[in-house]
Amino acid sequence: MIFSGFLSLLILIGVHFFANQAKVLGWLWHGRFLSFAAGISFAYVFVDLLPTLEKGQPILKDTFGEFIPYFDRHAYLIALIGVLVYYGLQTPSASDTTKGTWLKIGGYLLFNFFVGASLADSRNPDIQPLFLFTIAMSMHYFIHDHNLSVDNTLLYMHKVRWWLVMALCVGYFTGYFTHIPNAIVAIVVSFLAGGMILNALRYELPKREQLGYPFFVMGALGYTVLLLGVGKG
């Protein structure tokens, strides 16, 4: 089981190193594959990730119920806050500033840390079945790395992708040797779920041509069928 989690870690590291090389497929198929990947990422959020927010609410209630009113019942509210924050980072006024760029990268690094930590325990029910979780994360990384590369190619190629790999590895070994409090995991998962939704749509919504739409639908429905077929849904 430990080996399977480590293998998934290596696959995700490989995506960071080679995602930008997908342009060798050509412009047309590169765009269609991005649409397909976005569909998988989108399906993962709605079919698998969002339902886990409900599981995290009892943890939030036990930890914060006496101190923060209503916080115990609103994991989805945290996800909404995640959408609003990530949307603010994606607007032109924010993305054109150094501060906005580093905030966006910082959120991605935090996300990678917790993905790596979750892989340290491959028996974690939140990432089962592991091969489907790995597929979904690979496609999400592909989309996100594409966006970062387009926004700032030099920064991504020479620094960011290395930091992303490091965040994955640090998270993996942190999760392997220590225990991250469940309440912190619940908050971060809720917050970053909103970011995943926005990121999956970021590539699709601004497109005026709909050449990639069938591939977006194929990715979303195909992944959903796989997920439900193995009893996860």
Side-chain angles (χ1 to χ4, degrees), residues 5 9 12 16 44 49 86 106-122 124 126-127 130 133 137 141 163-176 178-193 196:
L9 176 71
L12 296 180
H16 283 311
Y44 168 74
L49 184 58
Y86 277 88
Y108 196 9
L109 292 173
L110 181 64
F111 180 87
N112 267 24
F113 175 85
F114 279 95
V115 169
S118 67
L119 291 175
D121 181 11
S122 55
N124 182 354
D126 291 337
I127 62 173
L130 185 59
F133 175 82
M137 286 298 101
Y141 284 172
W163 294 342
L164 292 171
V165 169
M166 186 178 300
L168 269 175
C169 294
V170 171
Y172 180 86
F173 288 108
T174 299
Y176 185 82
T178 65
H179 173 69
I180 300 175
N182 292 332
I184 295 178
V185 174
I187 292 173
V188 173
V189 169
S190 301
F191 182 79
L192 295 177
M196 285 191 69

